Amino acid sequence: MATLLVIEDDINTNEAICEYMKSAGHTTLSALDGEEGLLLAKEPSVDLVVLDIMLPKIDGMTVLRELRKCSTVPVLMLTAIEDEHTQATSFDAEADDYITKPFSMVLLGKRITALLRRSGKNPEILRVQFGDIIVDFGGYAAWNQTGRIDLTPKEIELLKLLLEHKGLVLTRSQILDELWGYDAPIIDRTVDTYIKNLRKKLNLDRIITVKGVGYKYEESL
């Protein structure tokens, strides 16, 4: 996993991002102003920076421009400002991605995963094996020694989502938003059905139910 630096002056937002990303297996560093953030961002151990624009001491745009003089570390801009000019300016200053507040932690996590994958720090999960069962995410297929296992595309995507957030509890709403979209007319219990099917078809005991919250994937003890 990667070392992430979160430069965000709102302490609650900063802590929430750090806790979420720690749960996903990453190491996190945090800074509450641009000056401290710029110093930490230059550390060679940092694999990705989440950077707010509106910061005390040194604003995020200045931090980004100064950082780009000496580093190509991936930078995801995080801000409450949502306008075309700000977005264009961010990319002109060589930001790698941009997300506006309020945001979904799952979406933020997916953006970070994508940036790390492109930078070679977090290779995409292409295939996984459970005993004699193999799941090929790229080919949307699963099989064992006796032949093909009938998994639907959504079941495969759900398994991959859980694996990408290993150890982290995902709510039913987060899963629905990620796999079906925010406006899809799908009820929460649909997720329960898909989880039940995955467990049965793959004889899988690694998907854990967290009562009243959702589901998470854990390696067998």
Side-chain angles (χ1 to χ4, degrees):
M1 289 298 181
T3 297
L4 313 178
L5 170 62
V6 180
I7 310 175
E8 162 65 65
D9 63 319
D10 183 275
I11 190 168
N12 291 327
T13 302
N14 194 312
E15 289 179 351
I17 296 172
C18 287
E19 287 304 311
Y20 182 90
M21 299 316 300
K22 284 178 184 176
S23 297
H26 299 292
T27 299
T28 63
L29 304 171
S30 66
L32 298 176
D33 63 69
E35 186 174 88
E36 180 187 15
L38 182 57
L39 288 173
L40 289 173
K42 293 179 179 179
E43 292 292 325
S45 62
V46 173
D47 297 311
L48 182 141
V49 178
V50 178
L51 177 61
D52 189 23
I53 289 181
M54 304 297 290
L55 291 169
K57 296 188 179 180
I58 304 176
D59 68 84
M61 285 296 186
T62 301
V63 170
L64 177 60
R65 292 190 182 99
E66 289 299 312
L67 183 60
R68 282 293 175 254
K69 293 178 181 179
C70 61
S71 175
T72 59
V73 65
V75 177
L76 186 152
M77 304 300 288
L78 178 66
T79 180
I81 300 173
E82 187 173 12
D83 65 80
E84 186 175 321
H85 174 73
T86 302
Q87 294 180 36
T89 302
S90 298
F91 289 120
D92 287 343
E94 299 184 51
D96 296 277
D97 204 351
Y98 185 106
I99 191 170
T100 57
K101 304 172 186 176
F103 55 87
S104 157
M105 281 291 180
V106 170
L107 178 58
L108 177 64
K110 295 291 282 185
R111 295 278 186 91
I112 288 173
T113 297
L115 288 177
L116 290 171
R117 184 167 60 243
R118 291 203 294 268
S119 68
K121 298 294 184 180
N122 192 29
E124 183 178 8
I125 301 172
L126 298 177
R127 181 175 287 193
V128 67
Q129 184 166 357
F130 310 107
D132 68 339
I133 296 173
I134 297 173
V135 181
D136 178 4
F137 294 109
Y140 278 80
W143 63 90
N144 59 16
Q145 294 176 344
T146 63
R148 188 182 180 92
I149 298 172
D150 184 23
L151 287 183
T152 69
K154 273 292 186 287
E155 288 167 353
I156 290 175
E157 289 170 4
L158 173 56
L159 177 61
K160 187 177 183 183
L161 179 67
L162 292 168
L163 282 167
E164 288 175 341
H165 295 81
K166 188 183 300 181
L168 179 67
V169 180
L170 299 179
T171 67
R172 292 180 180 86
S173 294
Q174 287 173 328
I175 294 170
L176 288 172
D177 290 346
E178 180 64 31
L179 298 185
W180 281 272
Y182 293 95
D183 300 322
I186 307 294
I187 62 173
D188 286 358
R189 293 302 174 186
T190 300
V191 175
D192 300 340
T193 300
Y194 276 83
I195 293 290
K196 180 180 178 180
N197 290 341
L198 276 177
R199 287 169 171 162
K200 181 178 180 180
K201 293 179 180 180
L202 300 179
N203 191 25
L204 191 60
D205 61 359
R206 303 181 190 184
I207 301 176
I208 309 301
T209 302
V210 180
K211 190 173 181 180
V213 183
Y215 299 97
K216 67 177 178 177
Y217 177 92
E218 286 187 348
E219 295 288 358
S220 297
L221 298 177

